[in-house]
Structures are given as structure tokens and as C-alpha cells.
Amino acid sequence: MKKDLKKFPSNFLWGGAIAANQTEGAWNEDNKSITVQDCMKFKADKLGIANFSKLFETSRKELEMAQKSKNDNLFPKRHGIDFYHHYKSDIKLFAEMGFKTLRLSIQWARIYPDVDSNLPNEKGLKFYENVFKELHKYNIEPIVTLSHYEIPLQIVNKYHGWYSRKVIDLFVKYASTCFNRYKSLVKYWLTFNEVDAMIRHPLTSGGLLKEDFQKMNIPFEEAIYQAMHHQMIASAITTNLCHKIIPNSYVGCMLTKLLFYPYSQRPEDNLAAQHRMREIYRYSDIQVFGQYPEFLKQEIINKGFNIETKPEDEMILKEGTVDFVSFSYYMSSLEAANKNGLELAPGNTVNGVKNPYLNSSEWGWQSDPSGLRYSLIELYDRYRKPLFVIENGLGAKDKLENNGQIHDKYRMQYLKEHVEAMAKAINIDGVELMGYTWWGCIDLVSESTRQMSKRYGFIYVDLDDYGNGTYKRYKKDSFNYYKKIIASNGTDLNFA
Ligand code: BG6
């Protein structure tokens, strides 16, 4: 009998993904303290796409001004889409689409407004408990990230971010509070979002402010590697702890699955692309294999960095390996040994060389569904662990029509092609895939540009880049399309 090449496993986890800092709002309600994200200004309209890396740069002065500012509209993460007050109706809409899972994050600053305190904030704990219970009401399984670029500002100001080893203890305290409180409600956990990202945006990933390290005469790149070491230790300890506190739990790592193909057939370009790819795997390798890869050790030696470790670190890493590998995937790029004169294309917090065979989104990201299949094969061959596409999606400018409709065929096309790619990876390439969560299943504030106008959702939220709007939710055409995909377990992909 011929095999059905469109088949997805019967327990495949279809759903959506959001992050607390991009959706919740209520930035100073119920005792929550201020985070780095609450201080990040909207400046995309001034910088434009090409300068996107500048979006992550912030000075000490800007941080101080932000702390004093009462103008919440300047800081889009402060209002998000007000999920904090809309979560019940939003979850109802997710349930209507047939979600089996929702990936979301907890904000450390809600659980421990004072990171040094030993008393968690009951109001913060209660909020997430209510959200998880609401999800279970509809049989939606929560997948929870402990840290999705949500660093309490206190960690930056008092500890210079993850540079300080003390932050490991503070994070473990926070994580264990969450595991104990939610052990009957959450079995899927992720420690850090996009664990390779600190080198690209050190402040939002690691709480590291360049200026502070310059003043202390510490090379900034060395500080990043030190902070990453601490995050790896914290991740391993919490993974291990989660397995102990919640015996049936399933803990994953999460990496940014960037993809660089060689620009030409030149061997040097091939090597350059291989090198770029290895950079991406540096930290998920540690989380999966329980030890530093040799190439990372070598890199640290070659750069002359002095990374402080403790004798017990080796054992901690060994004992805290993950159960599955989750990743974000949006686009691909090319890499060349010599990029002089080549046209560049922006991607997810990276610049790569433009690929003439791919179409780009309005933000210049080069859409590549085959690259998803390629990535799944590559990750499965490397790690031999179940995989999870925990973020994938298309940021686009949507138009709300007068009759309340939004026609987003482009999003449906992107979704269709990526679902087809997953089906091939499962049925032809033998990849073990647990699930798929569409990024920003409801419109949210963009991580990099902090725009509302970069919309990913199947649900439109009436809000503009400056925080003006009614917060009213509207179903886009893609809402019913995704509903159909889930109902048919990924086999009915037709749309008119
Ligand atoms: C991922 C992040 O890298 O990309 C998300 O985990 C982010 O937080 C997503 O929103 C899309 O990026 P952006 O910049 O378009 O929001």
C-alpha cells in the first residue's frame, strides 16, 4: 500500500505561540516590577528596516529616562495587546481554531517583583494559574517558556545581567517557584527563548549593557560568553529540577533556526556558511549533549577569553540535558566568505546575503519553506531528539476593511507551504516532529521593531504603532484556514 505522504501523527500539537512581554501589557499592575522590555522605545519608523540592529541598542541614559517616563505609548511592550485583561476571550478564539496547544511565557518580574526577595508575588502567580486553567478548560496544553527576553530591570542595574553568577541562583529560585506552583497544570517547559541570541542582542537576552562593561574595562564579547555560561548552567539546573518536581514533564531547548546556504559553489563560501551554522548550534549543543562542543571551547581559547567556571559545572551540564529540541524558523539567507559588493537582506536579527531565488516579506525576510524541511532534517540528524517547530510565521501589513474583514491570502500561502514542508520531513525524511505553533497567532508587538503594524496573527488587534486603537479583535481569513488545517490534521490545505 502506498504511504500517505501528507500524514501528521494523531497526537500532533497544532497551536500558536505568544510571549508575555509582547502581549500582556499591564506592565505595572499587580505588583509587577519594570523589565528591560518596558524601557524599549518604539523607534522603527525612524530607523527603517536596513538599520534593524540599532533597534536593540540602548544607553544607560535612555534606560534611566525610560524608568521615569509615564508616557506608556512610547514603550509598546508596556501595553502589548492587553492580553492580561483579554486572556479569556483570546483563549476562546484559540479554542475556536481548534488549538491543541498554546506556547506562552511567564514574566519573572511578575513572580518576583524584587528578584532578591524570597517571597513570590501571589498576584502574579495567580494570573498565570488562571491562564493555564483557562487553557485546560478547552483542552489546550500550555507550553511555557521561563524566559522569553523578559529580564527584570533590577537584574541589569544590580547584577550587570547574566554576567553575575548570582543570577543563576535567582533564576533557579524563580523557576522552582513556577514548577511547584504549576506542576499539575504545565508539563511542557522551555528554559530560555532562542538560546543562541545573546550575541545578537545582549541586553534583551542577557541584561548586558555595553556601556557598563566599557566602564569596567571588560571586553564586551567576553562578558557575553561569560553570561552565556551562566545561562547554560541555569538552564541545566532548572531542566533537572523540573524533571524532579514534575516527573512527567518534558523540557526542551529553543534555538533560532537561522539558515545560511553558501552564496556560491566556491569551497570558501561553503566553509563560511558552515561556520555561520555552527554558531547557531553552539548553545543548543550544550543543552542536548550536556557539554561544550569542542569548536566552542576552541573559539573561546582563540579569542583569549577568560571564562570563569566552577568544578561542578561539568556535572551540572551533564545532568541537565533536554528532552526535545524546539526552534523558531522564519527565513533563510546566504553566506559568503567575502561579502564586499554583495546585496544584503535582513532576517530575524541577522543580515545575510540576498538569495535571488526567494521572495521577501515586507520586512525583507526571505521566505523559504524548503529551508524548513532542510532545517528539520539537519536538526534531527544532529540531535536525534523529537523536534518542535515552536515559532514560524509571516509578519505583514494587514488591512482592516470597513466590514471588519481582513483578507490575508499571503499568510495562508506561507502557512500552506510550511505545513507541506513539515509533512515531507515527517513522511519522507523520517523526522520525529511533536508539533507546530504559529508565531503571533494573535497580532502582538514585534520583538525587534516593536511595531504593531508588523502583524503575524490569525486574529487582528485594532491598535497602531503608537498605542492608539480600540484593542478590539477581528478574525482574519487565515483564522478559518488554520482551523481547517487543524481539523484535518494538516491534510486539507486548499484555499480559494
Ligand atoms: C523570534 C522571537 O525571534 O522572532 C519572537 O522569539 C519574535 O519574540 C519573532 O517576535 C518575530 O520577530 P519580530 O521581530 O518580527 O517580532
Side-chain angles (χ1 to χ4, degrees):
M1 200 175 67
K2 226 172 150 198
K3 199 179 167 213
D4 178 2
L5 295 182
K6 284 180 162 180
K7 223 171 157 218
F8 282 83
S10 58
N11 57 353
F12 194 75
L13 289 166
W14 295 100
I18 55 175
N21 77 91
Q22 294 171 258
T23 51
E24 282 176 7
W27 72 283
N28 56 2
E29 279 184 46
D30 293 338
N31 307 326
K32 179 183 161 291
S33 62
I34 190 164
T35 66
V36 169
Q37 297 287 4
D38 300 328
C39 300
M40 301 298 273
K41 258 192 180 169
F42 170 61
K43 15 181 170 165
D45 55 343
K46 294 199 185 71
L47 286 170
I49 297 168
N51 259 329
F52 75 95
S53 61
K54 291 245 180 304
L55 293 167
F56 293 105
E57 284 175 16
T58 308
S59 64
R60 165 78 39 215
K61 200 166 150 215
E62 277 180 297
L63 278 185
E64 276 159 15
M65 274 164 58
Q67 281 173 81
K68 288 185 203 133
S69 176
K70 300 258 178 300
N71 188 351
D72 290 355
N73 278 7
L74 289 177
F75 305 94
K77 303 282 179 71
R78 292 189 184 184
H79 54 72
I81 54 162
D82 197 28
F83 181 75
Y84 199 78
H85 299 108
H86 287 74
Y87 74 89
K88 284 194 181 168
S89 46
D90 288 343
I91 290 173
K92 196 167 175 221
L93 286 169
F94 300 153
E96 195 184 324
M97 276 187 275
F99 278 21
K100 315 275 182 228
T101 187
L102 180 74
R103 179 213 176 196
L104 69 172
S105 64
I106 296 180
Q107 297 216 59
W108 187 352
R110 280 199 198 283
I111 307 301
Y112 282 100
D114 173 2
V115 293
D116 291 318
S117 165
N118 284 325
L119 271 186
N121 173 32
E122 179 51 34
K123 285 188 175 165
L125 284 167
K126 190 77 196 149
F127 167 68
Y128 294 107
E129 183 181 316
N130 290 341
V131 171
F132 301 148
K133 284 188 172 156
E134 195 66 22
L135 288 169
H136 282 295
K137 199 165 114 185
Y138 300 100
N139 292 322
I140 299 176
E141 192 73 46
I143 301 180
V144 175
T145 314
L146 286 166
S147 183
H148 191 125
Y149 304 144
E150 286 131 357
I151 310 243
L153 195 61
Q154 207 187 347
I155 295 284
V156 182
N157 291 345
K158 194 167 171 192
Y159 294 102
H160 298 300
W162 278 90
Y163 183 71
S164 162
R165 188 153 181 130
K166 176 81 174 69
V167 177
I168 299 177
D169 300 337
L170 301 177
F171 186 81
V172 170
K173 176 182 66 183
Y174 151 65
S176 90
T177 302
C178 293
F179 298 151
N180 280 306
R181 177 68 173 240
Y182 306 126
K183 58 181 169 217
S184 61
L185 294 168
V186 182
K187 69 171 187 238
Y188 294 98
W189 294 88
L190 304 173
T191 52
F192 294 94
N193 185 59
E194 299 190 329
V195 73
D196 48 286
M198 205 192 290
I199 197 80
R200 302 192 296 275
H201 37 101
L203 180 62
T204 45
S205 288
L208 308 173
L209 197 61
K210 196 169 184 178
E211 212 177 304
D212 289 353
F213 291 90
Q214 279 164 346
K215 277 189 200 132
M216 292 187 286
N217 257 329
I218 299 169
F220 194 47
E221 209 188 340
E222 184 177 83
I224 295 173
Y225 282 69
Q226 180 68 67
M228 271 316 300
H229 180 71
H230 294 152
Q231 253 189 23
M232 285 297 100
I233 299 295
S235 179
I237 296 176
T238 46
T239 300
N240 200 354
L241 197 68
C242 187
H243 287 141
K244 286 188 178 130
I245 299 175
I246 317 175
N248 65 342
S249 62
Y250 222 54
V251 188
C253 63
M254 195 305 195
L255 71 143
T256 321
K257 186 59 191 68
L258 297 166
L259 174 54
F260 293 94
Y261 303 115
Y263 169 68
S264 76
Q265 300 92 321
R266 271 193 217 106
E268 307 84 72
D269 285 347
N270 207 21
L271 257 177
Q274 187 182 45
H275 187 76
R276 238 5 234 276
M277 294 308 299
R278 267 181 145 192
E279 279 175 9
I280 296 158
Y281 296 132
R282 280 190 291 221
Y283 292 104
S284 43
D285 275 6
I286 300 179
Q287 293 175 309
V288 175
F289 300 128
Q291 57 185 31
Y292 269 60
E294 287 308 315
F295 65 90
L296 178 54
K297 285 191 203 160
Q298 203 53 51
E299 187 187 328
I300 291 170
I301 294 170
N302 294 347
K303 287 188 166 161
F305 292 161
N306 178 25
I307 305 300
E308 278 182 35
T309 59
K310 289 207 168 178
E312 62 268 30
D313 289 359
E314 243 177 66
M315 190 49 81
I316 292 174
L317 293 179
K318 222 169 239 130
E319 288 177 347
T321 55
V322 293
D323 308 309
F324 68 101
V325 173
S326 75
F327 64 95
S328 59
Y329 175 84
Y330 294 90
M331 35 65 58
S332 72
S333 310
L334 303 180
E335 179 63 321
N338 179 357
K339 293 202 263 288
N340 281 346
L342 298 180
E343 191 184 346
L344 299 181
N348 189 5
T349 64
V350 285
N351 266 326
V353 177
K354 199 166 167 50
N355 187 337
Y357 301 104
L358 297 177
N359 294 323
S360 299
S361 78
E362 286 156 293
W363 274 261
W365 296 18
Q366 303 178 105
S367 160
D368 177 14
S370 298
L372 175 58
R373 181 174 171 196
Y374 185 96
S375 297
L376 285 163
I377 297 171
E378 203 175 53
L379 283 171
Y380 196 58
D381 286 354
R382 190 177 188 99
Y383 294 136
R384 302 272 155 177
K385 294 261 178 202
L387 303 179
F388 204 123
V389 182
I390 210 85
E391 284 189 28
N392 173 242
L394 176 72
K397 284 184 185 143
D398 293 331
K399 186 165 182 293
L400 176 64
E401 307 288 347
N402 291 336
N403 58 6
Q405 295 183 346
I406 302 100
H407 306 300
D408 57 343
K409 242 188 196 161
Y410 36 91
R411 189 168 287 109
M412 286 148 71
Q413 187 62 31
Y414 182 100
L415 173 59
K416 176 180 190 282
E417 290 169 0
H418 286 78
V419 172
E420 281 167 349
M422 288 192 294
K424 286 183 186 147
I426 294 171
N427 297 298
I428 302 174
D429 310 318
V431 165
E432 197 181 343
L433 189 57
M434 295 163 61
Y436 175 81
T437 46
W438 175 269
W439 175 252
C441 44
I442 180 165
D443 289 347
L444 38 68
V445 176
S446 153
E447 170 55 26
S448 58
T449 67
R450 295 181 278 283
Q451 287 167 302
M452 260 316 289
S453 52
K454 189 178 188 187
R455 296 175 182 275
Y456 284 87
F458 302 129
I459 301 163
Y460 185 96
V461 179
D462 176 31
L463 202 61
D464 70 14
D465 289 337
Y466 303 92
N468 307 307
T470 60
Y471 287 84
K472 211 176 147 201
R473 276 65 168 153
Y474 297 85
K475 294 176 195 171
K476 301 182 193 175
D477 288 354
S478 54
F479 182 100
N480 283 322
Y481 181 56
Y482 195 40
K483 184 175 172 179
K484 184 168 86 161
I485 292 180
I486 298 178
S488 66
N489 200 20
T491 52
D492 186 355
L493 300 177
N494 296 325
F495 66 85

